[in-house]
Amino acid sequence: MDDNALSAARLALCERIPSPTEISVSEFLSYYMPPSPADVDLVVDKLAQRSQVLLCKQGFTHHPLLPLSSSTPNWAAYTDTPEVRETSGEYEKDIFADLENIAAQIVECCREIAPHMQPTNELRVNGKKTLSGHVYTSAQPDGLRVLVGMKPSWGSVVLSEEYEPKLRNGVDNYLKIVWNMHQTMRSDYTRRFVFGVTIHNTSVRMWHMNRESLIVSNIFDMNNDYRTFADMHTRFAFASKDELGYDHTMTKLYPNLPKDERYRVKVGGEYYITTQVLENYAAEDNFGHCTRIFRAYKEDDESRDAKYAIKDGWLKRDSQLEVDVYNDIMADIDSHDWSQYSAPPKDVSDFAENVEEWEGLPPIDFKHGTNVDRKRFFMPFIAGERVKARDGRDDDTCAVMARGYSLPPRRQYLALTKAAATSDSSAASKASSARTSQRDGVKGDEKKAAEPSAPPGIFERPTEPRVHHRSVMLLATPLDKIQSVKQAFSLFILHCLKYCHRDVSPYNVFSLDGHGVLGDFEYTKHVASTTRHTWRTGTPNFMAVEVMTGSFMFDRHTTNNRDFVKFAMQHPNSLFAIRRPDSTPELLFRHTLQLPFLVPPYDVEVHESKYRELFPGRIDMAHSRFDHLKDAKTLIKTLSVLPPACTDTVSAPLLLIRHYFMRYYQRQDANSPLHPLMWWMIGHLLCESRGQQIGGDLVPFTFSQRGGFLETPPEDEVDQWDEQEVGDPSIGDVDLATRAADRSTGARHGASFNNR
């Protein structure tokens, strides 16, 4: 175990997420905790009478667990507080082991009151044990509530607890508990939210984490507020799995195999069996839409043909289902008048000789007259739904998880790190000022982990409810996973309908049955939509400059079109691979080619450095891409870093595209559309005519993953299954050899599937 690596990971997580909102104990109990299953006064009365359980190696004791006759009632085990007991030489584990007895006796008191009640979990003091899970961490939670009948693992931990005998700043334990909750959420795909508890001497805080919020209660004293302490244990012990944050529509097939990632998932009234996790953005992001993609087959399909991708995530409450957007697009394709568009130029010379004649025409459909099936250019969605809670309501971070409680605009915040605790903006000062919680990243930026390491953008905004969404689509290969240059340039996206996708990137363009399709409609809006969002949407490397900066960019200068086009034809190497609106430039800059396409003076290190500059993977308020696009000399210099095969082939069409985009940026009338030939230039001239002439395969540059949140497991734990798991009778007749082969196949080919 590398304590330094774990500490760094905890600190990185807590520095990255919003400071938790601190609310009163009564609010936390009323809105976030499971309901109380028994009358707390009756429970306390029984705790004050006698011991209810057999103490290990001690026999029965009739001494009350909670003597109330004293003028200062205390739990009998903590009449001498943990701090005093540690000073007397006791170890921390032994001090807090008494919590097991308290929790067990509370359960027996409740069952004496209502014999039909059965606990769903039990408290265990953990000591120095790590927990199994498919995401490794060396963290050793001080206390665990584990599902009854289950072995301790990150998949069976209902909640974790962190203890500290001394009454001092609890920041270290705050880092630990947030890390533990984060680990539970990323290790168990059935978790919608999770709880935590921290105890410093006798000071207790309760914690709640979901996909939108991190909430912590004010401190209460477990001795002075013994009723609250007993109530907390009662609520946890008898809570249903739904009330503890589990998803009743998703079941782990082999719960005693913590590293196995196969689930039975319900979507649209049908059940699917997942065979592989294709992408997992929830693992590190934790807050936000946290998309996971599973490869799956229908449960009733005897062939077990895993040809589907199940997309699971958390979107804003007013977000439209992707399947509904897809169906709307399909209906609009059927009803759209495709005869209104003009035929494209016969060739480049036809366009160059008649530049002015193409001005003012309706948009050019470069597939005009080909009887193309326009529906085939969109990812087919099979089903989709807002996941329902047990009571039939949409599973909502506010309405369901917080029982409708809305965080006030004027909030008190708890400092998670020592630096924050000692800063001028301490929790106490924040309590008196109105501010909103912070959120980093960009909506739609699902690929941050694969981008160059860079500080993410940070936006302040109010907390907004999120609803659990789930979709089923066909498997396909995302553009960023395609190696063949010819195939990458062959993908075609339809842009004639009045929809704005708002997140076009290589991660959302796919190859399906040999042709390109556009997928991921989470942020797609029709031009007639009245819904407005304050967040910038899109992946930073592909975001429009205006969206990135929040402003329009008009230089108000003009250019002679005919002279410019002639210059472009005569100077094919003098252009820059602009990014917008297709994905070609980022792909060219992010990849090099293999031999023999690399010839002097090409320098791969210069190429890679330029990519990092132009596409940093974050919001670039300096909009350097626009500066490169605007300045001709800079464009020529920038383009020169690409392999000559790329520059020589696509330079002329890119120069034309760049020219008309600059005209668009500089337009006098903000309502003026793009040039009608723009999509012909992109689809035909750039991709079909030129791009597919580039030979060979794309070789991606490698970038360090976003660090800090992942630890390297010891060598003896890498790809090993615990001996206790292999011999566990609850796993049924699963073929472990087949299972190991499945994992190996997934490691080799996992990049070839739908990544969202």
Side-chain angles (χ1 to χ4, degrees):
M1 178 179 67
D2 187 343
D3 290 336
N4 291 331
L6 175 59
S7 297
R10 287 168 171 160
L11 182 61
L13 173 66
C14 290
E15 287 180 338
R16 193 174 188 280
I17 65 177
S19 297
T21 299
E22 189 174 0
I23 64 176
S24 69
V25 173
S26 62
E27 287 177 309
F28 196 98
L29 291 172
S30 297
Y31 297 107
Y32 289 97
M33 284 287 284
S36 183
D39 188 310
V40 178
D41 291 330
L42 292 178
V43 175
V44 168
D45 287 343
K46 289 191 172 294
L47 290 169
Q49 294 170 13
R50 62 180 175 82
S51 173
Q52 305 293 318
V53 298
L54 180 67
L55 299 182
C56 182
K57 299 180 181 179
Q58 296 181 23
F60 281 104
T61 172
H62 291 280
H63 297 296
L65 181 71
L66 181 62
L68 298 179
S69 58
S70 170
S71 58
T72 56
N74 295 300
W75 297 96
Y78 298 111
T79 301
D80 288 335
T81 65
E83 187 169 18
V84 171
R85 289 175 61 175
E86 184 187 52
T87 303
S88 301
E90 285 192 70
Y91 292 108
E92 179 180 304
K93 179 183 177 182
D94 296 329
I95 293 171
F96 289 103
D98 288 321
L99 292 175
E100 286 187 3
N101 180 40
I102 291 175
Q105 295 206 45
I106 288 173
V107 167
E108 291 305 312
C109 287
C110 290
R111 296 189 65 191
E112 189 171 303
I113 296 170
H116 68 280
M117 293 174 56
Q118 295 293 330
T120 58
N121 60 89
E122 57 187 0
L123 180 66
R124 304 182 190 180
V125 174
N126 186 46
K128 295 295 182 181
K129 297 179 181 178
T130 57
L131 303 177
S132 298
H134 64 83
V135 180
Y136 173 79
T137 180
S138 58
Q140 301 167 346
D142 291 336
L144 307 168
R145 278 197 170 273
V146 182
L147 291 171
V148 171
M150 294 286 292
K151 297 172 182 177
S153 71
W154 287 110
S156 65
V157 169
V158 171
L159 63 89
S160 62
E161 301 188 351
E162 291 293 339
Y163 311 135
E164 170 56 55
K166 288 184 171 58
L167 182 61
R168 61 187 181 190
N169 193 314
V171 165
D172 287 342
N173 270 1
Y174 297 163
L175 267 64
K176 292 178 181 179
I177 199 66
V178 172
W179 177 262
N180 295 349
M181 291 190 290
H182 166 73
Q183 177 69 8
T184 300
M185 292 283 276
R186 70 178 177 174
S187 297
D188 187 349
Y189 300 156
T190 68
R191 296 310 291 267
R192 303 147 51 233
F193 60 87
V194 67
F195 292 103
V197 174
T198 52
I199 302 177
H200 306 95
N201 193 25
T202 59
S203 297
V204 183
R205 287 188 188 272
M206 298 174 288
W207 300 72
H208 170 100
M209 176 186 286
N210 60 46
R211 291 305 185 194
E212 177 63 19
S213 303
L214 177 58
I215 308 296
V216 60
S217 75
N218 291 144
I219 289 174
F220 70 90
D221 188 273
M222 68 180 187
N223 277 335
N224 296 337
D225 298 317
Y226 56 85
R227 290 183 76 263
T228 300
F229 195 64
D231 188 24
M232 179 187 76
H233 281 286
T234 301
R235 291 171 185 249
F236 282 142
F238 294 96
S240 69
K241 292 187 69 174
D242 291 11
E243 293 165 345
L244 292 168
Y246 290 87
D247 181 355
H248 74 99
T249 67
M250 190 174 192
T251 306
K252 198 172 191 299
L253 288 185
Y254 304 103
N256 275 328
L257 290 175
K259 298 175 185 177
D260 190 285
E261 300 178 86
R262 286 176 287 180
Y263 292 81
R264 182 175 187 255
V265 186
K266 184 179 181 181
V267 191
E270 294 197 67
Y271 286 94
Y272 296 80
I273 304 299
T274 69
T275 63
Q276 182 184 4
V277 179
L278 302 178
E279 297 290 354
N280 187 355
Y281 304 104
E284 305 309 329
D285 290 343
N286 203 89
F287 300 100
H289 39 132
C290 300
T291 304
R292 287 188 176 108
I293 304 291
F294 302 90
R295 186 182 185 184
Y297 61 88
K298 285 189 176 182
E299 185 178 47
D300 59 2
D301 183 357
E302 295 182 358
S303 71
R304 298 192 175 186
D305 183 8
K307 61 183 179 181
Y308 300 103
I310 296 178
K311 181 177 180 179
D312 187 278
W314 296 80
L315 301 181
K316 284 183 57 178
R317 181 184 284 170
D318 61 356
S319 295
Q320 191 175 5
L321 290 173
E322 287 189 85
V323 68
D324 291 341
V325 175
Y326 171 77
N327 289 334
D328 288 345
I329 292 174
M330 296 301 100
D332 285 350
I333 289 176
D334 287 334
S335 62
H336 195 69
D337 179 12
W338 296 101
S339 65
Q340 64 181 293
Y341 301 105
S342 304
K346 296 178 181 180
D347 49 38
V348 177
S349 61
D350 181 16
F351 168 62
E353 293 173 1
N354 303 281
V355 175
E356 272 73 18
E357 294 182 10
W358 299 106
E359 297 285 345
L361 291 178
I364 300 298
D365 176 10
F366 79 90
K367 292 290 185 180
H368 187 274
T370 59
N371 295 318
V372 64
D373 178 9
R374 300 176 187 279
K375 293 182 178 180
R376 69 195 291 261
F377 297 115
F378 297 89
M379 169 65 72
F381 276 74
I382 311 303
E385 65 181 2
R386 294 178 182 85
V387 180
K388 303 296 182 183
R390 185 78 68 173
D391 61 7
R393 293 182 296 168
D394 292 344
D395 196 9
D396 186 308
T397 57
C398 178
V400 173
M401 298 181 192
R403 301 190 184 101
Y405 176 73
S406 296
L407 296 174
R410 299 177 67 87
R411 310 179 200 170
Q412 182 170 336
Y413 293 83
L414 179 69
L416 286 182
T417 64
K418 293 179 180 179
T422 57
S423 70
D424 293 336
S425 57
S426 64
S429 63
K430 290 176 184 176
S432 61
S433 63
R435 64 165 271 190
T436 57
S437 60
Q438 289 186 337
R439 178 64 46 80
D440 55 8
V442 181
K443 213 173 187 183
D445 181 10
E446 294 284 13
K447 205 65 180 178
K448 286 180 290 189
E451 300 294 345
S453 298
I458 297 178
F459 306 102
E460 294 189 354
R461 66 171 184 82
T463 303
E464 299 175 279
R466 289 188 177 272
V467 175
H468 197 175
H469 282 230
R470 193 172 287 154
S471 301
V472 181
M473 66 201 88
L474 295 181
L475 280 174
T477 305
L479 180 57
D480 72 308
K481 303 293 175 60
I482 294 174
Q483 290 182 299
S484 168
V485 179
K486 181 177 181 179
Q487 185 182 5
F489 273 88
S490 70
L491 303 184
F492 164 63
I493 304 173
L494 190 67
H495 284 275
C496 294
L497 298 175
K498 294 183 178 180
Y499 285 88
C500 181
H501 187 277
R502 303 202 299 168
D503 192 16
V504 174
S505 72
Y507 319 123
N508 299 326
V509 179
F510 305 89
S511 177
L512 179 64
D513 297 332
H515 65 274
V517 296
L518 179 63
D520 194 339
F521 304 123
E522 286 183 354
Y523 307 115
T524 300
K525 291 174 60 176
H526 191 272
V527 67
S529 172
T530 58
T531 304
R532 294 290 181 266
H533 300 299
T534 58
W535 273 37
R536 283 170 275 203
T537 61
T539 306
N541 280 1
F542 307 92
M543 184 180 292
V545 176
E546 299 99 325
V547 175
M548 185 179 296
T549 61
S551 62
F552 292 102
M553 300 179 179
F554 305 143
D555 286 345
R556 312 295 189 190
H557 67 264
T558 59
T559 306
N560 183 287
N561 294 342
R562 186 181 297 275
D563 291 344
F564 190 90
V565 171
K566 288 182 178 179
F567 175 82
M569 295 299 123
Q570 297 169 1
H571 300 81
N573 294 326
S574 60
L575 71 116
F576 168 57
I578 60 171
R579 177 209 60 83
R580 190 176 164 235
D582 68 324
S583 304
T584 303
E586 202 269 359
L587 285 177
L588 288 177
F589 273 88
R590 186 175 184 175
H591 298 79
T592 185
L593 301 177
Q594 82 278 41
L595 295 173
F597 295 94
L598 307 180
V599 295
Y602 174 74
D603 188 324
V604 67
E605 293 184 357
V606 173
H607 180 177
E608 180 178 350
S609 177
K610 181 58 66 173
Y611 171 74
R612 292 177 184 274
E613 175 188 346
L614 294 176
F615 303 97
R618 66 177 188 274
I619 295 298
D620 178 17
M621 297 306 291
H623 49 83
S624 60
R625 286 203 301 273
F626 184 76
D627 292 338
H628 283 75
L629 181 69
K630 185 169 56 174
D631 182 74
K633 293 181 179 179
T634 305
L635 298 184
I636 296 171
K637 182 178 179 181
T638 300
L639 183 66
S640 67
V641 307
L642 293 174
C646 297
T647 304
D648 295 342
T649 305
V650 302
S651 57
L654 280 172
L655 179 57
L656 289 175
I657 295 170
R658 172 247 175 237
H659 165 64
Y660 283 106
F661 269 123
M662 285 306 300
R663 285 189 58 197
Y664 179 73
Y665 278 124
Q666 299 157 1
R667 64 195 185 278
Q668 299 293 326
D669 182 359
N671 295 317
S672 297
L674 284 170
H675 191 278
L677 278 173
M678 182 58 69
W679 304 121
W680 172 79
M681 296 177 191
I682 294 171
H684 173 75
L685 194 59
L686 176 59
C687 295
E688 290 185 349
S689 177
R690 294 297 188 95
Q692 293 186 56
Q693 297 177 17
I694 302 175
D697 290 341
L698 295 166
V699 180
F701 295 124
T702 57
F703 303 101
S704 58
Q705 300 294 302
R706 185 173 61 199
F709 297 171
L710 296 173
E711 300 173 74
T712 302
E715 291 184 5
D716 60 350
E717 291 193 29
V718 177
D719 278 338
Q720 298 295 319
W721 301 102
D722 296 344
E723 292 183 5
Q724 63 177 12
E725 295 171 352
V726 176
D728 194 315
S730 69
I731 68 175
D733 60 355
V734 61
D735 183 342
L736 293 178
T738 301
R739 183 171 177 277
D742 288 345
R743 287 172 56 81
S744 176
T745 301
R748 292 195 303 270
H749 303 298
S752 298
F753 302 116
N754 183 331
N755 82 317
R756 298 265 320 231

